[in-house]
Amino acid sequence: MIQGILYIILMAVLALVVYQDVKLRLIHILLPVAIFGLGIAINWDLMRFIHMDWISSLLFLALNLLVVTLYFSIKAKRYVNPFDALIGWGDIWFLIALVPLFHFRGYVQFFVMGMLFSLVLFIVMKSIYPKYKTIPLAGFLSIFLIGTTLAQHLTDIDILL
């Protein structure tokens, strides 16, 4: 019962992320904080076992950010800080906030599948609305998480193992 209420609150917070990121192109810092707290509450019974998964997920995220930094720096033939213009701080905080919701394998699967989903959704949105210049990553990943969570709870099929 409480687990269901926590998931409903999580879906509402993710919907706010979608609205703010798509409409305003930023998200309030309390939204990732709420997602992080809800992730801890939802997985409370696993807290003593999941710390290594958190560390692994954060290292995976750091490695991805390092690769993005290296790629754009090599491409520009100078150091490029991806946080200046390429990736918003809200996206980073959002990705960190998602860590308590997943085991390491699930986080990696969510990250990869969510990025592909975001890219496809961006291409579709750009073809419909040419004004789209950047990807509202936290918003698109929120849509993906809402969809996979609803699919899991309605069908008992765990898409993100």
Side-chain angles (χ1 to χ4, degrees), residues 58-116:
L58 290 171
L59 288 173
F60 172 77
L61 181 58
L63 177 65
N64 275 281
L65 294 174
L66 176 66
V67 168
V68 166
T69 302
L70 289 174
Y71 172 78
F72 284 107
S73 294
I74 290 170
K75 185 177 173 185
K77 297 181 182 171
R78 63 177 176 77
Y79 173 73
V80 174
N81 183 354
F83 306 114
D84 285 343
L86 302 171
I87 303 170
W89 277 106
D91 298 327
I92 302 302
W93 289 117
F94 178 79
L95 289 167
I96 292 170
L98 294 176
V99 167
L101 289 169
F102 300 99
H103 288 285
F104 175 65
R105 181 176 172 197
Y107 186 80
V108 172
Q109 288 176 329
F110 171 81
F111 186 88
V112 172
M113 291 170 59
M115 292 297 172
L116 291 173

Side-chain angles (χ1 to χ4, degrees), residues 39-54:
I40 290 173
I42 288 168
N43 292 311
W44 185 254
D45 54 337
L46 303 173
M47 279 303 114
R48 62 181 159 197
F49 304 111
I50 205 164
H51 295 344
M52 288 308 295
D53 281 340
W54 287 17

Side-chain angles (χ1 to χ4, degrees), residues 118-129:
S118 297
L119 181 60
V120 169
L121 186 56
F122 175 71
I123 291 168
V124 169
M125 293 298 289
K126 190 163 175 71
S127 69
I128 297 170
Y129 304 105

Side-chain angles (χ1 to χ4, degrees), residues 23-34:
K23 185 79 172 168
L24 308 173
R25 304 304 308 191
L26 54 87
I27 61 172
H28 194 279
I29 188 63
L30 290 181
L31 294 176
V33 171

